[in-house]
């Protein structure tokens, strides 16, 4: 994979647009909105740069980095709900979700 040092931001925008979200913002983070839901989407290349705040977050990274990012988020246990999209070079992707929280049950 030639682009591992570049966050998969264009892939993230395409995925959320294809899912019917309105995408706004520039850089490696944007807002994806649909109905009542607003998700802050962050494209990452490593797991050490996750933010501390938010309500609903989705991290998009290359598929070979997704498991490492998931371990990092489980270890740091942020206050927000999160999901990870692991993107492959060809455009396929896999979604990794956070473990259910005790308050969601």
């Amino acid at each position: 994979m030639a682009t591992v040092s570049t966050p998969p931001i264009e892939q993230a925008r395409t995925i959320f647009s294809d899912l019917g979200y309105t995408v706004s913002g520039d850089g490696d983070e944007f807002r994806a909105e649909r109905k009542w839901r607003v998700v802050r989407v962050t494209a990452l290349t490593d797991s050490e740069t996750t933010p501390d705040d938010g309500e609903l977050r989705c991290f998009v990274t290359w598929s070979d980095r997704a498991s490492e990012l998931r371990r990092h988020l489980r270890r740091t246990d942020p206050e927000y709900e999160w999901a990870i999209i692991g993107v492959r070079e060809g455009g396929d992707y896999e979604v990794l979700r956070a473990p259910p929280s005790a308050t969601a049950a």
Side-chain angles (χ1 to χ4, degrees):
M1 181 178 310
T3 57
V4 293
S5 63
T6 304
I9 191 66
E10 291 308 316
Q11 292 85 341
R13 290 179 187 285
T14 299
I15 290 167
F16 276 88
S17 292
D18 289 351
L19 291 172
Y21 284 80
T22 300
V23 173
S24 60
D26 295 325
D28 292 338
E29 184 169 291
F30 61 88
R31 290 170 51 101
E33 299 179 61
R34 185 173 76 180
K35 298 181 184 178
W36 59 269
R37 181 174 294 159
V38 177
V39 180
R40 289 173 58 185
V41 181
T42 305
L44 299 171
T45 56
D46 62 53
S47 63
E48 300 303 315
T49 56
T50 57
D52 295 327
D53 64 336
E55 192 170 322
L56 295 174
R57 286 199 166 269
C58 183
F59 299 99
V60 181
T61 192
W62 298 111
S63 61
D64 61 342
R65 310 271 176 125
S67 293
E68 178 185 335
L69 178 55
R70 186 181 203 183
R71 283 190 298 274
H72 171 75
L73 287 166
R74 284 183 167 176
R75 195 171 46 251
T76 58
D77 193 25
E79 295 292 319
Y80 47 79
E81 284 188 56
W82 56 265
I84 299 167
I85 298 176
V87 179
R88 292 180 197 85
E89 188 74 25
D92 293 337
Y93 62 91
E94 177 183 6
V95 178
L96 306 172
R97 299 194 194 292
S101 69
T103 58

